[in-house]
Amino acid sequence: MTKTAHDAEAIHYKDFTKQQKVTMLSTTAGFSLEHMDHSLIPIATTAIVASLGVTQAAAGLITTFAMTGTLLGGLFFGMLADKIGRARIFNWTIFVVAFATAALYFADNIYEIYFLKFIAGFGTAAEYGAGVTLIAESFAGKKIGRLTSLAHIGGQTGTILAAIASAVILPKYGWNALCLFGLLPIAFAFFVRRNLKDSAEFEEARRKRDLEKKQQQLPIIEVFKTPALAYQTTALVLMMMVQIGGYYGILTWLPKTMQAHLGLPVGKSTLWTVAMVIGMSLGMYFFGSFLDKFGPRKAFGLFLSFSALALYLPTFANNALSLLIIMLIVGFFSNGMYAGFGVIVSRLYPAEARVTANSVVSSGGKFLGGFFPAIVGVLIDKFSFTYVLLFFTLSYLFSLIIMLTIPALHRKDVQF
């Protein structure tokens, strides 16, 4: 039975229903695939540049094309999920992602990479929007910051798997062979999702609409229905832009740049990536718990402020160990708040437009944030690394200011 915000209470795994367990497992598996897919190419960027003889800026555009696909896929699959059901869409888009990633094995020029990453991005759009919505609806009336964070932490295993696979496969077989690794999670994710169903809240909303013979408005209209909603949605998109741009910009360039600056062996690059991912996972768990206790304004305010400062820590690194610790701290703050977006959006938008809202915020932010790696590539090619750090610092401060202007985050009648 759905509970109100006043009935919110601590959630323990032993109290989960079977469907709640399926929802958490299937969402975590989907997030893992999404992270792995998005991480394979950024990790292999140096190898792609050397193999194809392209510029750093051209390599950075790979993420831009992937995020363009995510934008269009988010709008398409988001509205479809709000119309025919979250679970159905969630179950099948995983194949689009996996096969597009594996097809990169046959790519031999930058334009084929652009195209296939666009297709993969189109498929991954459903993973985030449908996943966070399913969690929010399956635990209606409860504080879900920690739960959403746990799903995203599980998703980070995809990034770690990609990093480990790159360390084993890249030196011997090259970046093309690395992309075949994208096929592996299909069996597990599909097996877990066989029994996944839509939430009672969504089914009730659909039944009510059918009984009233009410024609469903396009969900995208609901997301921008009033000036206040339009501003709220746009503000959240801009915050997600900084979140995603910071994640992929830092993951793509920071470890490699600092490694070269300190003269450290290239073979150890996986260590810096894994350290960042571990830091991100710890940050997400802490952020989720902090969000549940203090609310979104204080949680985002704390993490965005420290993200702007933490980016300068790598300049103090003087050996491999200090860089490893610093990468962990940078990861902790720079990506800790990612899980918070799904919590906010799922509580501020109605059930009939919830996946669309999550997809618009996620996909719009990913599209705009997808330009960050290319921008950083240009800054590295033409300017000093100080400009890169300044760019990220100003980005996080911009996101902080935007967050403070969203009126709905002040509301005390919403259980975040």
Side-chain angles (χ1 to χ4, degrees):
M1 185 188 336
T2 302
K3 295 185 178 182
T4 65
H6 300 292
D7 295 321
E9 56 188 77
I11 304 173
H12 303 287
Y13 184 79
K14 63 182 176 61
D15 298 326
F16 284 11
T17 65
K18 180 181 178 181
Q19 194 56 220
Q20 286 174 330
K21 292 176 182 177
V22 170
T23 298
M24 286 300 297
L25 284 172
S26 61
T27 303
T28 302
F31 288 172
S32 181
L33 174 65
E34 179 190 9
H35 279 279
M36 192 185 73
D37 171 76
H38 283 313
S39 299
L40 286 173
I41 292 299
I43 290 172
T45 296
T46 302
I48 291 172
V49 168
S51 171
L52 302 180
V54 297
T55 64
Q56 303 277 26
L61 278 173
I62 296 172
T63 302
T64 306
F65 276 88
M67 296 313 172
T68 303
T70 299
L71 172 66
L72 299 178
L75 295 175
F76 176 75
F77 287 124
M79 289 192 286
L80 202 59
D82 279 325
K83 186 172 180 61
I84 69 172
R86 294 85 160 94
R88 195 179 305 177
I89 297 300
F90 202 38
N91 284 344
W92 293 104
T93 51
I94 192 171
F95 291 98
V96 177
V97 182
F99 288 124
T101 301
L104 285 164
Y105 175 78
F106 302 101
D108 58 8
N109 62 68
I110 195 69
Y111 302 105
E112 290 178 359
I113 296 176
Y114 289 159
F115 173 74
L116 289 170
K117 286 302 294 178
F118 173 87
I119 298 298
F122 194 85
T124 59
E127 295 298 320
Y128 178 88
V132 295
T133 301
L134 280 165
I135 291 175
E137 292 178 347
S138 296
F139 296 91
K142 295 181 182 290
K143 294 187 176 184
I144 57 168
R146 192 155 53 101
L147 277 181
T148 309
S149 294
L150 286 172
H152 282 291
I153 290 169
Q156 290 294 332
T157 58
T159 306
I160 294 175
L161 285 172
I164 293 172
S166 70
V168 175
I169 298 172
L170 267 179
K172 291 185 177 181
Y173 306 105
W175 67 268
N176 296 79
L178 177 64
C179 295
L180 288 174
F181 191 68
L183 286 171
L184 292 182
I186 289 182
F188 172 69
F190 184 66
F191 177 77
V192 170
R193 290 180 182 178
R194 286 182 308 165
N195 299 314
L196 183 64
K197 297 177 182 177
D198 284 313
S199 68
E201 183 183 1
F202 173 75
E203 293 292 358
E204 180 62 29
R206 185 160 61 176
R207 258 195 311 271
K208 186 177 178 182
R209 188 173 66 243
D210 292 342
L211 283 172
E212 295 174 354
K213 296 182 179 179
K214 182 180 175 183
Q215 187 172 4
Q216 185 181 11
Q217 222 175 11
L218 271 178
I220 191 71
I221 295 176
E222 290 288 335
V223 174
F224 294 95
K225 194 172 185 179
T226 66
L229 271 177
Y231 178 79
Q232 175 181 287
T233 302
T234 303
L236 289 169
V237 167
L238 292 176
M239 287 180 65
M240 181 65 89
M241 171 193 74
V242 174
Q243 184 67 42
I244 296 300
Y247 175 79
Y248 287 112
I250 293 170
L251 187 67
T252 303
W253 299 116
L254 188 57
K256 297 179 181 68
T257 303
M258 291 308 302
Q259 180 179 290
H261 176 70
L262 295 174
L264 300 172
V266 176
K268 290 188 176 181
S269 60
T270 301
L271 289 175
W272 325 136
T273 302
V274 170
M276 282 190 68
V277 171
I278 291 173
M280 289 172 183
S281 299
L282 293 172
M284 282 192 284
Y285 184 81
F286 182 85
F287 179 88
S289 300
F290 197 86
L291 173 64
D292 284 341
K293 189 169 185 179
F294 298 103
R297 280 171 58 83
K298 289 183 180 178
F300 275 96
L302 176 71
F303 270 70
L304 287 169
S305 299
F306 276 96
S307 292
L309 296 173
L311 284 165
Y312 286 93
L313 289 177
T315 60
F316 295 98
N318 52 26
N319 56 47
L321 179 60
S322 62
L323 180 60
L324 203 66
I325 295 170
I326 286 171
M327 288 296 104
L328 190 146
I329 296 171
V330 170
F332 183 93
F333 288 108
S334 66
N335 204 48
M337 54 271 192
Y338 181 61
F341 287 92
V343 177
I344 291 172
V345 174
S346 295
R347 295 306 190 222
L348 293 182
Y349 293 85
E352 58 268 23
R354 198 167 286 148
V355 181
T356 301
N358 267 308
S359 296
V360 166
V361 170
S362 173
S363 302
K366 285 177 179 178
F367 171 73
L368 295 173
F371 288 95
F372 276 45
I375 292 171
V376 173
V378 171
L379 291 174
I380 290 174
D381 285 340
K382 298 185 178 295
F383 303 100
S384 70
F385 192 58
T386 303
Y387 285 90
V388 175
L389 298 178
L390 180 62
F391 170 74
F392 281 121
T393 294
L394 293 176
S395 297
Y396 283 114
L397 292 177
F398 169 75
S399 182
L400 174 62
I401 293 169
I402 289 291
M403 184 273 295
L404 293 173
T405 66
I406 301 176
L409 299 185
H410 294 269
R411 287 169 56 184
K412 295 182 179 179
D413 62 322
V414 179
Q415 180 65 60
F416 291 104

